[in-house]
Amino acid sequence: VVVVLTGLSCACTNSKESESEIKTVEVDLNKALPLTENVQSVDVMTLKDSETGHLPGHLSKVVFRRDSIFVMDMFKDRGLYVYNSDGNIINSFVNKGEGPEEFLDIRDFNVTSDKIILLDPHSDEKLMFLDRDLNFVRREKAEDYIFHFFYDSKNDGYWFDRGNIVHEDNDSKLIYKKGSGSKTMLRTPENLKNITFENWHSFAELSGDSLLYMPTTENGVYLCKSNGAELLYRLDFKDKWYEFNKNDRNESTVNLWNKIEDEGYVNTLDILSDGRNVLHTFNSGDRHYVLIVNTDTYSSRLYYLTEEEHENLGDAVAYHKGQIIFGVPGKLVKVSMKRDSDK
């Protein structure tokens, strides 16, 4: 799936309503259903140990491509790991170091038909290209202060997410780059400048060649288009969403995060997609929530996990063929939810 951008031409949405109309998805935490009581089926995949002794200790991002499963660990045994559909490891790229074929850090990756692109944000040449066998190919420069990226393979362009970092008057939040040219698609709102809590994911692909973008510290989801990013829908958490103000910039990131978490506001809001529907996960109080949004009708289903259930299942790391994929070191748990007609 790619974004349709022919020399920065228009991309389309699956919405049945006017593109200019912003949808609202109401999220009432009091109406959330227990996830474990609404499960249709569960399939556990064990990820077998690597013969090299490397194993992802944190499933930071998981991508399914045909018969291969790509797993990134950006915290513990940092690197990229590839498994087959049976959970057997095929290959890994764990070249940490300061050499041209090594990474200092790894924060995101994209998979195309013929290559893999890694984001090494603390290197001068931040984009590292590998072939599908994980052999090093080359490096390229990219924008500064990148948190996530999406590669538009059809047009050989990049969407870069810079969070809310404002440096030397550069307040670009979302940038599209193609060749030697780049364009600011979204700017950082005044009340959010330099307030950034890193998301696990910023971009989500939909069928029909559409790309969604959810900025950090915001409760809106944007449709990436040729002339900018259009707000597609907003999640209305009522009084559970923290409204940031300019004074928050005077607080340390840790203190501000603790304040939001301790007072029960929605935090760690994330976005995933299976190509048709969007999956949002977030925390509030002592519960972990899973919200499924139908992007045709904007109807939604909200579930929750207790702290113990969340710890056992792990975070939702992917949304694939209608299944929520939870992950903890050594296993992926594929969960299919009951539909209304099944209850």
Side-chain angles (χ1 to χ4, degrees), residues 99-115:
E101 300 184 13
E102 300 172 324
F103 58 83
L104 294 173
D105 198 1
I106 181 171
R107 278 292 183 267
D108 200 358
F109 74 95
N110 277 204
V111 180
T112 75
S113 60
D114 62 350
K115 60 179 172 287

Side-chain angles (χ1 to χ4, degrees), residues 127-140:
L127 297 180
M128 176 184 287
F129 292 78
L130 313 176
D131 64 23
R132 287 297 293 263
D133 294 321
L134 303 190
N135 298 306
F136 175 82
V137 178
R138 70 181 192 278
R139 303 189 72 123
E140 287 185 8

Side-chain angles (χ1 to χ4, degrees), residues 78 93-106 120 122-123 128 139:
R78 290 178 294 168
F93 186 81
V94 290
N95 299 0
K96 297 184 290 291
E98 298 183 2
E101 300 184 13
E102 300 172 324
F103 58 83
L104 294 173
D105 198 1
I106 181 171
D120 182 8
H122 301 302
S123 294
M128 176 184 287
R139 303 189 72 123

Side-chain angles (χ1 to χ4, degrees), residues 58 60-61 71-81 92-97 102-110 116-123 126 128 130 134 139 146-149 198 200:
H58 186 274
S60 309
K61 181 176 180 178
V71 177
M72 180 184 73
D73 181 353
M74 65 182 191
F75 289 122
K76 296 187 178 180
D77 200 345
R78 290 178 294 168
L80 183 68
Y81 302 80
S92 62
F93 186 81
V94 290
N95 299 0
K96 297 184 290 291
E102 300 172 324
F103 58 83
L104 294 173
D105 198 1
I106 181 171
R107 278 292 183 267
D108 200 358
F109 74 95
N110 277 204
I116 298 164
I117 310 172
L118 302 179
L119 173 62
D120 182 8
H122 301 302
S123 294
K126 295 176 172 54
M128 176 184 287
L130 313 176
L134 303 190
R139 303 189 72 123
I146 301 173
F147 288 90
H148 295 284
F149 78 102
E198 188 173 352
W200 292 119

Side-chain angles (χ1 to χ4, degrees), residues 197-201 214-219 235 237 240-242 244 257 260-261 264-272 279-285 287-291 310 315-316:
F197 305 129
E198 188 173 352
N199 299 350
W200 292 119
H201 308 86
M214 188 185 72
T216 178
T217 62
E218 295 189 39
N219 59 335
L235 301 172
F237 294 104
K240 289 298 183 180
W241 182 255
Y242 183 81
F244 294 89
W257 174 265
I260 292 170
E261 187 177 36
Y265 289 108
V266 167
N267 58 82
T268 61
L269 181 61
D270 197 23
I271 185 170
L272 295 165
L279 183 81
H280 292 287
T281 58
F282 56 91
N283 296 326
S284 177
R287 287 182 174 179
H288 180 73
Y289 292 87
V290 175
L291 175 70
H310 183 205
D315 290 323

